[in-house]
């Protein structure tokens, strides 16, 4: 077996980790159990709301997402089923970020609770390379879209919690796969963007997908290690894009006027 691309534990020198944990991690729709989980983590120098917005706006995926660079949203499935994020920005102050459905449902590529979509998957991680062909497509449905902030008026109650987000502020989005009967194969991917640092300007990014069903062991055996690499790439891609954009904006601000 080749050396792993990512470490199993993050560190200052290797901020992005990706692995198959010893036990499956519970997910909102399917609960505990399953065959295996792929888990990736990193720290991003951007507030959680920016990380969430990047994931939700799939029109940006072609700029940074080497694993799944394209997403086609079903035109009749834009209405929200999961709770909608409304009202204020992350820290509850100025209304700089609109989390309501108004103005978003008709916006191409914007993920809402209940959105049904088809994602292009590049299992070799070459989705941003011109001329490469996708490995397959994957149908998904957004199952969770919520703000993790207990006791904040207008945010609603959290329906489900994970071992990573318990008691912390941030956001969560999740989607389940489609195309197979549940007993054959099912999976759900969860991404949490958790506030880190005293000023809330950093994000602990945690992403996992748990697979189950009769075909779960086959998926683990055939592409498990490939998925570890791709989930690591996904985390690293988000980090690189947002931090690079932030550095560019800082450089533009510092550039002297002619």
């Amino acid at each position: 077996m080749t050396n792993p691309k990512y470490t199993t534990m993050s560190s200052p020198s290797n901020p992005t980790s990706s692995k198959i944990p010893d036990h499956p991690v519970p997910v909102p729709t399917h609960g505990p159990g399953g065959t295996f989980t792929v888990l990736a983590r990193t720290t991003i120098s951007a507030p959680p709301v920016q990380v969430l917005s990047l994931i939700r706006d799939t029109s940006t995926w072609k700029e940074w997402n080497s694993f799944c660079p394209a997403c086609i949203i079903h035109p009749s499935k834009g209405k929200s089923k999961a709770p909608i994020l409304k009202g204020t920005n992350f820290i509850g102050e100025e209304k700089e970020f609109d989390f309501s459905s108004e103005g978003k449902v008709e916006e191409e590529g914007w993920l809402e609770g209940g959105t049904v979509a088809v994602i292009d998957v590049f299992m070799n991680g070459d989705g941003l390379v011109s001329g490469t062909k996708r490995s397959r497509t994957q149908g998904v449905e957004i199952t969770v879209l919520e703000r993790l902030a207990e006791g904040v008026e207008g945010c609603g109650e959290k329906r489900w919690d994970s071992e990573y987000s318990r008691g912390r502020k941030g956001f969560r989005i999740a989607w389940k796969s489609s195309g197979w009967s549940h007993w054959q194969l099912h999976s759900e991917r969860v991404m949490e963007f958790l506030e880190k640092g005293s000023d809330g300007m950093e994000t602990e990014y945690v992403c996992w997908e748990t697979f189950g069903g009769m075909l779960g062991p086959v998926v683990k055996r055939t592409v498990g290690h490939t998925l570890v690499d791709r989930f690591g790439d996904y985390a690293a891609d988000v980090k690189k894009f947002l931090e690079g954009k932030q550095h560019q904006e800082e450089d533009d601000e510092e550039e002297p006027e002619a």
Side-chain angles (χ1 to χ4, degrees), residues 69-133:
C71 177
I72 299 176
I73 293 177
H74 194 293
S76 65
K77 298 292 184 179
K79 301 298 182 181
S80 296
K81 297 178 182 178
I84 294 299
L85 308 174
K86 294 184 179 180
T88 62
N89 65 2
F90 177 65
I91 58 176
E93 295 179 345
E94 300 174 357
K95 294 186 178 181
E96 298 175 350
F97 302 93
D98 179 12
F99 291 120
S100 69
S101 297
E102 296 176 7
K104 299 295 187 183
V105 171
E106 301 303 324
E107 182 178 341
E108 183 179 358
W110 194 263
L111 297 177
E112 296 283 358
T115 293
V116 172
V118 176
I119 294 174
D120 285 352
V121 179
F122 288 73
M123 290 297 288
N124 292 324
D126 53 4
L128 300 181
V129 179
S130 178
T132 57
K133 295 183 178 180

Side-chain angles (χ1 to χ4, degrees), residues 19-243:
K19 64 179 181 179
I20 296 177
D22 293 336
H23 304 286
V25 179
V27 289
T29 301
H30 305 306
T35 304
F36 77 104
T37 295
V38 181
L39 169 68
R41 308 179 72 164
T42 195
T43 298
I44 301 171
S45 296
V49 68
Q50 290 187 7
V51 187
L52 170 69
S53 296
L54 183 69
I55 302 299
R56 290 183 68 194
D57 186 2
T58 63
S59 67
T60 69
W61 288 13
K62 60 182 177 291
E63 301 177 43
W64 58 269
N65 193 338
S66 60
F67 184 20
C68 305
C71 177
I72 299 176
I73 293 177
H74 194 293
S76 65
K77 298 292 184 179
K79 301 298 182 181
S80 296
K81 297 178 182 178
I84 294 299
L85 308 174
K86 294 184 179 180
T88 62
N89 65 2
F90 177 65
I91 58 176
E93 295 179 345
E94 300 174 357
K95 294 186 178 181
E96 298 175 350
F97 302 93
D98 179 12
F99 291 120
S100 69
S101 297
E102 296 176 7
K104 299 295 187 183
V105 171
E106 301 303 324
E107 182 178 341
E108 183 179 358
W110 194 263
L111 297 177
E112 296 283 358
T115 293
V116 172
V118 176
I119 294 174
D120 285 352
V121 179
F122 288 73
M123 290 297 288
N124 292 324
D126 53 4
L128 300 181
V129 179
S130 178
T132 57
K133 295 183 178 180
R134 67 193 181 198
S135 305
R136 61 183 177 86
T137 59
Q138 177 61 61
V140 298
E141 179 179 356
I142 304 301
T143 53
V144 176
L145 177 58
E146 58 191 354
R147 182 179 181 180
L148 308 178
E150 292 182 345
V152 179
E153 184 177 355
C155 292
E157 297 181 357
K158 291 191 291 184
R159 303 174 302 165
W160 182 85
D161 214 344
S162 77
E163 60 183 277
Y164 313 108
S165 63
R166 194 168 294 120
R168 299 179 64 180
K169 294 180 179 180
F171 298 93
R172 178 188 296 125
I173 188 170
W175 57 71
K176 64 179 181 180
S177 61
S178 60
W180 296 86
S181 297
H182 182 82
W183 65 271
Q184 292 176 309
L185 181 66
H186 57 268
S187 70
E188 187 170 19
R189 183 180 305 184
V190 184
M191 279 180 275
E192 294 183 338
F193 319 106
L194 307 174
E195 181 180 329
K196 186 174 182 180
S198 58
D199 58 359
M201 296 304 290
E202 282 191 319
T203 298
E204 180 181 350
Y205 167 95
V206 187
C207 174
W208 70 97
E209 185 162 351
T210 297
F211 298 80
M214 290 189 66
L215 294 177
V218 178
V219 174
K220 182 179 181 180
R221 184 173 63 252
T222 56
V223 296
H225 291 292
T226 301
L227 287 171
V228 169
D229 285 347
R230 297 293 79 78
F231 274 59
D233 288 350
Y234 192 100
D237 287 346
V238 173
K239 177 180 175 67
K240 181 179 179 181
F241 182 82
L242 284 175
E243 292 183 354

